[in-house]
């Protein structure tokens, strides 16, 4: 009986991961690659592609152009600039926004931008997600629900369980929930409010399972081992936020964006 060494196991794991990454890239929908490569995307967003791997991540989640997709809390629209044009010809795209953002605030600016770019982004349907607002789509209608780096916010607001339950309700049987989040340290107990912006991967899996989901995949495409997760102003110390301003900016820029996990869950048939 041959007992594998730690080195051989590591090599085998690396080879498997590389094979998966290659296969994922090869299987990417050309229309998705075109949407990401569009010259009409903001330069500030394109600059983040090396850290966020949009083609690989959306391919991992299994997106297709005819899907009914719901994106939760799209923020500044990094993913909206990709998902809108990609889904416009034959899909259905909904964004679930926070129920309020202050008159003249970020939500109003975001709405104005997507309205001004409707020819490029297509028809985007809007619903709300937040305290007292959890109908993100008609029950059993969505093929894919996506959330990128939002779970810590819902934990801070005390609505994480309700938000994940809303995802479960909105999805068709067999539908997919894709979660990207800043990965917390395994040697530190999870703060239920996630005040530093980091969420343990096992904690996230437990929350999703509590809502009824089954974990069907994980990806390390957005992993960053340089992120030690002990920054003075939490995850926002790192780019793109640079919460410390010019203080140690070069140091944080060299570290890059946070270590992020990518998880794929399914609503059972």
């Amino acid at each position: 009986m041959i007992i594998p060494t730690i080195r051989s196991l590591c090599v085998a794991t690396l080879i498997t991961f590389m094979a998966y990454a290659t296969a994922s890239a090869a299987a990417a929908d050309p229309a998705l690659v075109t949407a990401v490569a569009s010259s009409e995307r903001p330069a500030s967003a394109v600059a983040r592609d090396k850290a966020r791997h949009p083609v690989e991540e959306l391919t991992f989640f299994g997106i297709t152009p005819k899907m009914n997709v719901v994106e939760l809390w799209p923020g500044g629209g990094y993913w909206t600039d990709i998902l809108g044009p990609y889904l416009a010809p034959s899909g259905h795209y909904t964004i679930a926004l926070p129920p309020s953002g202050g008159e003249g605030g970020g939500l109003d600016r975001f709405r104005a931008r997507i309205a001004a770019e409707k020819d490029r982004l297509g028809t985007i349907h809007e619903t709300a997600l937040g305290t007292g607002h959890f109908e993100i789509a008609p029950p059993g209608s969505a093929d894919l629900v996506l959330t990128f780096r939002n779970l810590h916010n819902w934990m801070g607001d005390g609505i994480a369980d309700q938000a994940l339950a809303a995802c479960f309700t909105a999805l068709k049987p067999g539908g997919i929930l894709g979660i990207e989040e800043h990965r917390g340290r395994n040697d530190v107990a999870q703060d239920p409010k996630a005040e530093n912006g980091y969420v343990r991967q096992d904690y996230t899996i437990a929350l999703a399972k509590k809502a009824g989901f089954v974990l069907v995949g994980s990806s390390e495409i957005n992993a960053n081992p340089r992120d030690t997760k002990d920054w003075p102003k939490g995850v926002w110390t790192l780019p793109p936020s640079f919460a410390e301003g010019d203080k140690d900016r070069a140091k944080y820029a060299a570290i890059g964006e946070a270590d992020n996990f990518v998880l794929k869950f399914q609503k059972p048939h």
Side-chain angles (χ1 to χ4, degrees), residues 29-189:
D29 183 352
L32 179 59
V33 174
T34 297
V36 171
S38 171
S39 61
E40 296 185 81
R41 290 180 61 213
S44 58
V46 174
R48 299 182 66 193
D49 287 351
K50 290 182 179 180
R52 306 206 67 172
H53 306 99
V55 171
E56 293 85 351
E57 185 161 351
L58 291 173
T59 300
F60 171 73
F61 289 141
I63 197 169
T64 68
K66 294 185 178 181
M67 277 185 168
N68 184 335
V69 178
V70 182
E71 182 189 1
L72 310 179
W73 286 21
Y78 174 89
W79 295 96
T80 305
D81 279 304
I82 297 168
L83 293 169
Y86 178 69
L87 294 168
S90 53
H92 189 279
Y93 180 34
T94 299
I95 53 173
L97 299 172
S100 63
E103 187 174 349
L107 286 182
D108 287 343
R109 290 192 296 271
F110 178 72
R111 288 189 179 104
R113 182 167 80 83
I114 61 175
E117 299 184 56
K118 184 176 180 179
D119 288 346
R120 180 174 73 90
L121 299 176
T123 299
I124 300 177
H125 307 273
E126 181 183 326
T127 57
L129 174 65
T131 303
H133 299 267
F134 295 105
E135 189 174 339
I136 60 174
S141 65
D143 298 295
L144 177 64
V145 175
L146 299 170
T147 173
F148 304 96
R149 309 182 185 187
N150 290 314
L151 182 58
H152 63 278
N153 292 312
W154 302 335
M155 290 169 64
D157 290 345
I159 62 168
D161 284 340
Q162 296 97 317
L164 292 174
C167 296
F168 192 88
T169 298
L171 282 163
K172 300 173 182 178
I176 297 297
L177 168 65
I179 299 180
E180 177 191 318
E181 183 55 279
H182 311 304
R183 179 167 25 216
R185 291 169 55 156
N186 287 332
D187 60 343
V188 177

